[in-house]
Amino acid sequence: MWFFRSPEIIFGEDSLSFLKDLRINRCLVITDNFLLKSGLLDKLFRNLPESSKRMVIGDISPEPTFREMTGRIEEIRKFNPDYVIGFGGGSSMDTSKILFALNERPDLDVYDITPLVPLGLRKKSRLIAIPTTSGTGSECSWAAVLSEEGEKRKSELASPEILPDYAILDPDLVVSLPKEQTKNTAADALTHAIEGYVSSWNNPFSDAMSEKAIDLISSNIETVLKDPENIDARNSVHIGASMAGLSFSNSQIGLAHALGHSLGAYFKLAHGKTVALFLPNVIDFNYNVSAQKFEKLNSIVPERYRKKKFSDTLRGLFRSMGVEGSIEECGITRKEFEQNLDGLVSLASESTGCLTNPRESSTSDIRELFRNSYARLR
Amino acid sequence: MAKFPSDEWVKEYMDKLNSNADYQDAGSKWEGAITFVILKDDTFKDDAYIYLDLYHGKCREARFSNSLTDLPKSEFKYIGSYGNWRRLIDGEIDPIKGILTGKFKLEGAMMKIMRYTRAAKEMVNTASKVQSEF
Ligand SMILES: [Fe+2]
């Protein structure tokens, strides 16, 4: 027995106008500072019913802690929203999931947001996720990441009940995404699709999502990077990223995420960069266990990138996207790396990504993967 | 062959756990006792309990009883019917998926155990290595 969970997905140009059809009376919008100042938030507001009352939390940082997330929780409870909208990248959408849960259940300990505890949500409100980047997959997942105050650690909270009711994928919201974020989030999405595909919890539904996601992203990312306003290519990558999110959220992640989360916690690097730099080496490590599946994926990537080994195909694809291929290229000195290696290994080995990676990994395997990923293979 | 669950089974499980290098690696920072709760069902007539005191990759004490009050208190309980325990030991149920699909229940601090899923998996792998009789 297993499940495939998905929000209702509204996609394509003008999909934001779907909001007009919902009976939204009191709407809480969670977003970040950048979007608050940009015109994108106005686009959202233009599509909300005119009569709806709005409360905006617009200061979500890229790595929010519990204190940051919940600073205005009492005000939220007084406002009593019937819809909670996460509008932005992963951190805004993740925060909206947590605030959605805590508004419904004031008695809830945030760490009880695990799949092991029934929460009884949706008595007061519904949750909508609207991504403005193409990559995190948070709009389609039932997970939320919380940074721990003063610690080099992030907690992965998850519950089927924090899966958004609606995910709105409007490509208009990503046409102006800067190049750096475009390539990093696309690399993250590719990693989701690949790790979800070979995860030990993979299933026919997640497989289908992965295959199409890799097709859409790898065939369109070059166009998007050269011609960011190409709405068709943007739309394909945007949809592909959500499909990748549906894949890993219904199967699981693997070692590239385990190691990437750890590196990101120590060195404050963009998430997409950290997972992508490990991915080809993780594929080599897993190869014999999932050879057929990797061969299948290799056949999906456009021929111009295709090499004999799938890991080499990806090395080339990431390089053409301008994504860093090693820890060294992310600007970390050998000394800093060696000084933190024990901590990096220890944190990575605590990740649930180790559990569902197709090949079992010992602490020394993880250490070796870190070491092999310091400098690019020449 | 050791009957599951029994004193004999628990003793053999403890020996196997203590000689499993993968468990020692994965659980090297774990501190805390866990009780396996085996609930009666059509084929098994009394609830049974296995108490394991786990510390830094080793099992310091393992005890079997048909009464929970006979055993020390533990920080965690992993609870399932006899039939599902059998499927778990036979490798048909994944220990974490078992919880997500409602076949097993876990009581205790979730965040702590979520950081040791690799150790949890090794604990189940070890149970599969005991020649069990049902
Ligand atoms: Fe990711």
Side-chain angles (χ1 to χ4, degrees):
Chain A
M1 171 174 144
W2 198 231
F3 314 91
F4 184 79
R5 295 188 170 104
S6 169
E8 183 171 332
I9 297 173
I10 302 94
F11 60 95
E13 278 187 86
D14 197 33
S15 48
L16 214 47
S17 67
F18 168 79
L19 289 168
K20 288 181 182 153
D21 300 334
L22 293 177
R23 272 200 219 125
I24 301 177
N25 292 314
R26 310 175 70 80
C27 158
L28 169 66
V29 178
I30 320 288
T31 191
D32 62 50
N33 232 316
F34 174 78
L35 290 170
L36 195 63
K37 288 180 194 144
S38 78
L40 283 186
L41 202 61
D42 294 333
K43 256 184 205 167
L44 170 70
F45 286 160
R46 278 199 298 276
N47 285 285
L48 288 174
E50 259 177 50
S51 59
S52 65
K53 294 210 166 49
R54 295 150 201 191
M55 172 175 170
V56 178
I57 296 185
D59 55 357
I60 303 304
S61 72
E63 294 181 338
T65 61
F66 180 70
R67 197 151 56 114
E68 262 181 79
M69 284 183 176
T70 56
R72 291 170 68 189
I73 187 71
E74 287 311 322
E75 204 184 324
I76 294 170
R77 285 177 187 144
K78 270 192 204 123
F79 178 70
N80 191 22
D82 54 1
Y83 280 88
V84 176
I85 300 182
F87 184 78
S91 57
S92 294
M93 290 188 282
D94 285 2
T95 303
S96 73
K97 293 173 182 175
I98 307 248
L99 290 176
F100 165 70
L102 295 178
N103 174 49
E104 296 252 341
R105 286 271 316 270
D107 58 312
L108 190 72
D109 178 338
V110 75
Y111 295 111
D112 277 337
I113 302 182
T114 78
L116 320 179
V117 179
L119 304 178
L121 306 183
R122 290 182 172 68
K123 301 228 164 38
K124 298 179 182 169
S125 55
R126 292 279 181 276
L127 179 62
I128 304 176
I130 308 175
T132 60
T133 64
S134 307
T136 71
S138 175
E139 67 280 4
C140 288
S141 87
W142 39 292
V145 179
L146 181 76
S147 288
E148 295 296 342
E149 194 124 11
E151 277 186 73
K152 288 191 176 87
R153 177 188 299 285
K154 290 182 182 183
S155 296
E156 297 163 28
L157 308 175
S159 161
E161 294 182 56
I162 60 169
L163 178 75
D165 297 276
Y166 301 104
I168 302 180
L169 313 179
D170 193 325
D172 232 22
L173 300 175
V174 287
V175 281
S176 47
L177 188 68
K179 188 169 185 175
E180 183 70 11
Q181 269 173 290
T182 300
K183 68 178 194 191
N184 287 338
T185 49
D188 186 24
L190 282 166
T191 311
H192 293 154
I194 295 161
E195 296 217 287
Y197 195 66
V198 296
S199 140
S200 59
W201 292 6
N202 77 72
N203 57 78
F205 289 95
S206 61
D207 282 0
M209 290 295 146
S210 286
E211 288 178 12
K212 190 64 189 170
I214 289 166
D215 176 20
L216 286 170
I217 299 167
S218 63
S219 324
N220 288 285
I221 189 64
E222 196 179 316
T223 310
V224 164
L225 290 170
K226 276 194 195 128
D227 176 14
E229 307 222 337
N230 183 321
I231 196 88
D232 290 335
R234 280 282 189 190
N235 192 36
S236 295
V237 173
H238 205 41
I239 291 172
S242 286
M243 294 182 96
L246 281 171
S247 170
F248 89 91
S249 147
N250 286 284
S251 52
Q252 270 307 306
I253 47 167
L255 279 179
H257 268 81
L259 273 68
H261 280 156
S262 173
L263 189 72
Y266 271 79
F267 295 106
K268 300 269 175 238
L269 297 164
H271 169 72
K273 245 183 227 198
T274 62
V275 294
L277 76 87
F278 292 113
L279 184 66
N281 288 342
V282 167
I283 291 173
D284 286 335
F285 176 77
N286 289 334
Y287 198 83
N288 289 337
V289 184
S290 309
Q292 271 186 334
K293 295 200 96 174
F294 288 129
E295 273 163 36
K296 170 77 190 173
L297 294 185
N298 205 21
S299 74
I300 293 173
V301 176
E303 221 172 329
R304 62 184 181 279
Y305 301 117
R306 212 178 299 152
K307 305 268 167 29
K308 199 159 172 278
K309 278 168 60 187
F310 184 50
S311 56
D312 287 335
T313 301
L314 279 176
R315 286 185 181 100
L317 174 60
F318 285 153
R319 196 192 286 261
S320 75
M321 288 163 63
V323 173
E324 287 77 357
S326 69
I327 297 173
E328 185 181 34
E329 284 172 30
C330 292
I332 296 158
T333 64
R334 173 72 78 176
K335 193 171 163 211
E336 282 174 303
F337 172 66
E338 293 291 345
Q339 273 169 349
N340 289 288
L341 187 57
D342 286 346
L344 287 165
V345 171
S346 163
L347 191 56
S349 68
E350 287 176 6
S351 161
T352 48
C354 300
L355 176 76
T356 45
N357 189 70
R359 180 176 160 192
E360 287 191 23
S361 54
S362 65
T363 309
S364 60
D365 293 328
I366 292 171
R367 182 178 294 269
E368 199 175 306
L369 275 167
F370 268 113
R371 282 197 185 284
N372 291 345
S373 306
Y374 180 75
R376 199 192 272 266
L377 286 176
R378 283 174 232 280
Chain B
M1 292 286 251
K3 188 153 182 59
F4 175 84
S6 66
D7 285 320
E8 195 194 352
W9 191 92
V10 167
K11 190 181 172 308
E12 204 175 322
Y13 177 69
M14 180 174 164
D15 290 345
K16 286 238 164 24
L17 201 57
N18 281 335
S19 58
N20 178 344
D22 292 333
Y23 172 71
Q24 280 155 39
D25 177 42
S28 65
K29 288 188 193 143
W30 173 271
E31 293 175 7
I34 181 162
T35 304
F36 291 167
V37 179
I38 302 126
L39 300 172
K40 63 185 174 200
D41 62 11
D42 302 347
T43 53
F44 189 71
K45 67 177 190 337
D46 285 313
D47 293 348
Y49 306 89
I50 294 171
Y51 167 86
L52 303 166
D53 176 14
L54 305 166
Y55 188 84
H56 293 192
K58 287 281 177 196
C59 179
R60 299 192 295 196
E61 189 188 1
R63 281 163 64 181
F64 165 77
S65 175
N66 279 111
S67 158
L68 189 59
T69 51
D70 286 351
L71 298 172
K73 281 214 169 2
S74 64
E75 207 178 331
F76 294 95
K77 285 198 191 85
Y78 189 62
I79 307 162
S81 69
Y82 175 78
N84 283 332
W85 272 102
R86 191 175 164 167
R87 293 172 63 201
L88 185 85
I89 293 168
D90 284 344
E92 290 166 23
I93 296 182
D94 171 295
I96 309 290
K97 258 186 159 177
I99 302 171
L100 302 183
T101 52
K103 292 187 170 52
F104 282 85
K105 243 175 67 183
L106 180 73
E107 287 177 9
M110 302 303 162
M111 282 320 287
K112 180 169 169 184
I113 210 140
M114 289 311 280
R115 284 165 47 194
Y116 290 91
T117 48
R118 224 159 48 96
K121 192 173 174 182
E122 277 311 321
M123 284 177 73
V124 173
N125 287 349
T126 307
S128 315
K129 287 179 196 152
V130 177
Q131 293 277 326
S132 305
E133 186 187 312
F134 295 99

